[in-house]
Amino acid sequence: MEVISKQRNSRMCIICGLDNEYGVRAPFYNMEDGSVMTIFQYLPQHQSYPGRVHGGLVTAMLDEMGLRSLWAKNRSEDIFGVTLSLDTKYRKPVPYSTDLLGRGMIIKESSKFFITEARIMDLDGNVLASGNIKYIKMPAETIAENCDTHEEMPYLMEDDRREFKING
């Protein structure tokens, strides 16, 4: 599947923050079908049981992909939302220190709400975790006081990724 463009990264977000020493630092890509994708690795510091990522960080990645799928579909990072509900299904242990794929897509969108589906997969295409997430659309300045999104999301680090191959 072809990459259309890359999304910005933030400073301190646990999932996408490039200045967060314990963060995942995941890059996110707008895809030709309107979905968002990422390739990333969890760190050993994200461990729950040995060899496994903590379920809260798995859910955090699903949530991040959900919001970013709105940006991918609308080709704009100026639309924000707040999570209303998130239903996570843990299918297989999610390992750290190994490449993983993430994909999020809009299932339904109205003027005030949107619903997404997100998945974390291994490189063979096996789904390790998935989630259905419902959001309410809100302006960034309503979500956080003194929030300057251009100040918090300053990084647009282009790379040479032009496609994703999903096996399975």
Side-chain angles (χ1 to χ4, degrees), residues 15-158:
I15 298 300
C16 74
L18 298 182
D19 296 342
N20 186 334
E21 68 179 297
Y22 298 110
V24 177
R25 299 179 180 158
F28 292 91
Y29 302 87
N30 298 320
M31 305 306 295
E32 64 182 326
D33 68 350
S35 68
V36 66
M37 290 192 73
T38 182
I39 186 164
F40 68 99
Q41 286 190 12
Y42 286 106
L43 301 173
Q45 292 89 335
H46 301 143
Q47 173 184 307
S48 174
Y49 293 103
R52 298 178 181 204
V53 174
H54 191 284
L57 284 166
V58 170
T59 296
M61 176 59 80
L62 296 171
D63 191 21
E64 185 80 11
M65 286 188 292
L67 175 64
R68 286 175 175 273
S69 68
L70 181 69
W71 296 349
K73 179 178 180 264
N74 290 286
R75 302 286 190 250
S76 172
E77 295 176 4
D78 294 330
I79 308 166
F80 287 85
V82 173
T83 309
L84 293 173
S85 64
L86 196 159
D87 178 25
T88 302
K89 292 200 178 3
Y90 301 98
R91 299 171 187 276
K92 296 182 179 183
V94 176
Y96 49 82
S97 299
T98 188
D99 284 341
L100 299 168
L101 289 173
R103 185 167 184 224
M105 63 203 82
I106 297 285
I107 296 173
K108 186 176 180 182
E109 182 179 5
S110 70
S111 62
K112 294 185 180 187
F113 300 95
F114 61 103
I115 300 172
T116 68
E117 178 182 274
R119 295 179 297 222
I120 296 172
M121 300 166 278
D122 63 21
L123 295 184
D124 292 325
N126 297 305
V127 177
L128 307 178
S130 63
N132 288 311
I133 311 119
K134 184 174 184 180
Y135 301 85
I136 184 169
K137 292 179 182 176
M138 291 182 136
E141 56 273 6
T142 303
I143 298 168
E145 286 185 34
N146 303 317
C147 181
D148 179 349
T149 56
H150 297 290
E151 177 66 25
E152 179 52 29
M153 301 278 296
Y155 300 116
L156 183 55
M157 312 292 277
E158 294 294 345

